[in-house]
């Protein structure tokens, strides 16, 4: 994609072009993640969402390509991407971090004002609930910039270093397949889509 003369005539048009290019690159990167790998990325981020020093009962995290995140979030030079090569078996290298922490009842409403950027690949929302056996159940709902949606449940170990049990999962482009998680998944996807237009 190359900007034409019209794109270069105004800052707003240039921003729209850059946002569209970032969104296209995000979709291209996600195309390298089959459903099983996408689910693995979502589960990994959900497992890392809470630490012992600052518990979070609900929140939304973001996942992005590692090189871009290093530049945008850590301020590293742009040539750092050359050193962050992808694993041919796992696809592009990605990383995730906390976007917002909210009360559980505010999780869906928070999606209306998320600081999402067009180069973000995934939004991963979670909320913890008692599992009834003394452990915690983590409800996880995610949306990818290519339109795929993920819903899963994790039964957490009593300690953070324990293995977590995966209690079923759905990966689909149809929100209806996610049942009660459809509303949150759709809201997350809308936040990703809005990020492209908001910069324009």
């Amino acid at each position: 994609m190359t900007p034409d003369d019209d794109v270069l005539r105004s800052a707003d048009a240039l921003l729209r072009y850059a946002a569209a290019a970032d969104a296209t690159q995000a979709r291209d990167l996600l195309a390298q993640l089959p459903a099983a790998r996408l689910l693995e990325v979502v589960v990994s981020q959900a497992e890392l969402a809470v630490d012992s020093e600052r518990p979070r009962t609900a929140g939304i995290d973001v996942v992005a390509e590692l090189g871009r995140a290093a530049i945008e979030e850590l301020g590293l030079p742009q040539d750092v991407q050359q050193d962050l090569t992808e694993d041919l078996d796992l696809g592009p290298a990605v990383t995730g971090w906390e976007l917002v922490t909210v009360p559980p009842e505010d999780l869906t409403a928070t999606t209306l004002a998320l600081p999402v950027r067009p180069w973000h690949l995934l939004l991963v929302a979670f909320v913890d609930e008692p599992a009834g056996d003394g452990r915690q159940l983590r409800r996880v709902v995610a949306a990818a910039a290519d339109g795929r949606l993920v819903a899963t449940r994790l039964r957490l170990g009593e300690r953070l270093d324990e293995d977590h049990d995966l209690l079923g999962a759905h990966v689909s482009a149809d929100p209806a397949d996610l049942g009660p998680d459809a509303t949150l998944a759709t809201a997350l996807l809308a936040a990703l889509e809005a990020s492209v237009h908001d910069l324009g």
Side-chain angles (χ1 to χ4, degrees):
M1 183 185 300
T2 302
D4 56 26
D5 291 341
D6 289 337
V7 167
L8 297 175
R9 286 176 183 163
S10 74
D12 286 346
L14 188 56
L15 283 174
R16 282 194 296 271
Y17 167 79
D22 282 343
T24 297
Q25 184 177 27
R27 289 191 295 269
D28 289 345
L29 286 169
L30 284 163
Q32 301 174 48
L33 297 180
R37 174 60 179 153
L38 180 66
L39 176 60
E40 182 183 347
V41 170
V42 170
V43 170
S44 295
Q45 186 59 39
E47 290 176 333
L48 296 171
V50 177
D51 61 52
S52 58
E53 296 181 358
R54 191 176 64 85
R56 302 167 68 203
T57 57
I60 300 172
D61 290 1
V62 63
V63 174
E65 188 266 330
L66 180 58
R68 185 65 183 269
I71 293 167
E72 300 286 352
E73 297 296 316
L74 300 178
L76 297 181
Q78 292 194 12
D79 58 6
V80 73
Q81 287 183 309
Q82 299 174 4
D83 299 325
L84 299 174
T85 57
E86 64 184 41
D87 187 315
L88 294 179
D89 294 326
L90 299 178
V94 298
T95 188
W97 63 95
E98 175 184 344
L99 202 57
V100 294
T101 296
V102 296
E105 62 272 16
D106 294 340
L107 194 58
T108 301
T110 299
T111 61
L112 296 173
L114 288 174
V116 183
R117 303 298 300 276
W119 49 272
H120 289 167
L121 302 179
L122 287 158
L123 292 178
V124 181
F126 75 93
V127 60
D128 287 351
E129 310 163 346
D133 59 359
R135 300 168 72 184
Q136 289 290 107
L137 182 68
R138 181 163 297 162
R139 171 190 172 209
V140 183
V141 181
D146 64 354
R148 285 183 290 177
L149 307 170
V150 179
T152 187
R153 300 289 186 276
L154 299 174
R155 185 163 54 223
L156 308 182
E158 294 182 3
R159 300 192 315 272
L160 291 175
D161 58 353
E162 288 186 39
D163 290 336
H164 305 316
D165 298 325
L166 183 65
L167 306 177
H170 297 280
V171 180
S172 176
D174 186 351
D177 292 339
L178 274 60
D181 296 318
T183 299
L184 178 55
T186 301
L188 292 169
L189 184 59
L192 284 165
E193 293 172 344
S195 70
V196 180
H197 305 295
D198 288 347
L199 286 183

